[in-house]
Amino acid sequence: MSKLDDADLRRLARTVLVREAAGLDSLVDVVEPSVVRIARAAVSTTGKVITTGSGTSGIMAERLAHLLSVCGTPALYLPSMDALHGGMGAVGTDDLVLAISKTGRSVESTQLVSGLVGRGIHVVAVTEAADSPFAAAATEIVELPTTAPGADPGDMIALTSTLAVGAWGDAVGVVAMALTGHTMRDVVDLHPAGGVGTREDVRTGDNAPVVAL
């Protein structure tokens, strides 16, 4: 058991928070063009947006699919391994696939992307490694800033890199809402449970867009 006292542990916690804040700050003035590009593609697709990934990237892909759906852009999450075991049959040429892999070294994600592109499906690789096999297999690449050394402990445990891809996806969702004019009432109608579903003030008020250009 470590002999670190509470003061040491508080300093460690602060270090984590400072690193993560810096990681998010590194996105500003860098990723905005890709956010707009992918938001436009997502709202204009005639099919659905399919997100995919493995491990922690898969968790963030699932979160992105949920967020886009809340924001009025129909989206579903398909785990890479499930897709390789027949699930990829659910993806059609009218769909847009957003595939996430920080390092671009996920064998199953690379295999899936290659298979989908081979079937004529548009796949966007969201990654920090634009020179990876994963990125090379895709139709289009969104390159995120490389996570600073130490921000992901041992360069193995996805912390800051996870927040970065999540923030990028958040921006895509909000820009998509601005493009479609998704309204406050739309959000409540799509989210009838929990605290959002109790917002009678939204149901009875002006049906204003969530965000406006």
Side-chain angles (χ1 to χ4, degrees):
M1 179 66 70
S2 171
K3 296 186 183 301
L4 294 172
D5 61 22
D6 282 1
D8 292 329
L9 295 174
R10 285 195 297 270
R11 283 193 293 273
L12 177 58
R14 184 180 188 281
T15 297
V16 173
L17 296 173
V18 168
R19 285 174 174 171
E20 294 194 343
L24 293 182
D25 189 59
S26 72
L27 301 178
V28 179
D29 296 328
V30 175
V31 303
E32 289 89 338
S34 69
V35 166
V36 174
R37 187 173 80 244
I38 300 307
R40 288 192 180 280
V43 300
S44 64
T45 186
T46 55
K48 290 180 291 297
V49 176
I50 308 294
T51 69
T52 190
S54 296
T56 308
S57 292
I59 292 170
M60 298 312 295
E62 184 174 14
R63 178 185 183 275
L64 177 56
H66 174 75
L67 176 68
L68 288 173
S69 294
V70 169
C71 294
T73 300
L76 294 171
Y77 168 61
L78 180 62
S80 294
M81 190 56 73
D82 289 350
L84 291 176
H85 284 267
M88 64 188 296
V91 187
T93 54
D94 290 337
D95 297 326
L96 172 68
V97 176
L98 304 180
I100 300 174
S101 175
K102 175 196 171 184
T103 66
R105 286 180 281 187
S106 168
V107 174
E108 62 271 24
S109 291
T110 302
Q111 185 179 357
L112 173 60
V113 169
S114 180
L116 291 172
V117 171
R119 292 176 52 214
I121 295 164
H122 190 98
V123 181
V124 179
V126 183
T127 182
E128 292 183 10
D131 58 349
S132 64
F134 168 77
T139 315
E140 184 179 351
I141 302 169
V142 167
E143 184 176 8
L144 299 180
T146 302
T147 303
D152 281 353
D155 198 26
M156 293 184 292
I157 302 174
L159 298 182
T160 303
S161 59
T162 301
L163 295 181
V165 74
W168 177 85
D170 291 351
V172 170
V174 171
V175 171
M177 284 196 294
L179 288 169
T180 62
H182 198 57
T183 69
M184 300 289 283
R185 198 172 299 159
D186 290 333
V187 174
V188 174
D189 288 343
L190 293 174
H191 202 309
V196 174
T198 66
R199 291 290 301 274
E200 289 301 322
D201 60 313
V202 173
R203 291 187 186 280
T204 59
D206 293 337
N207 194 22
V210 178
V211 292
L213 290 173

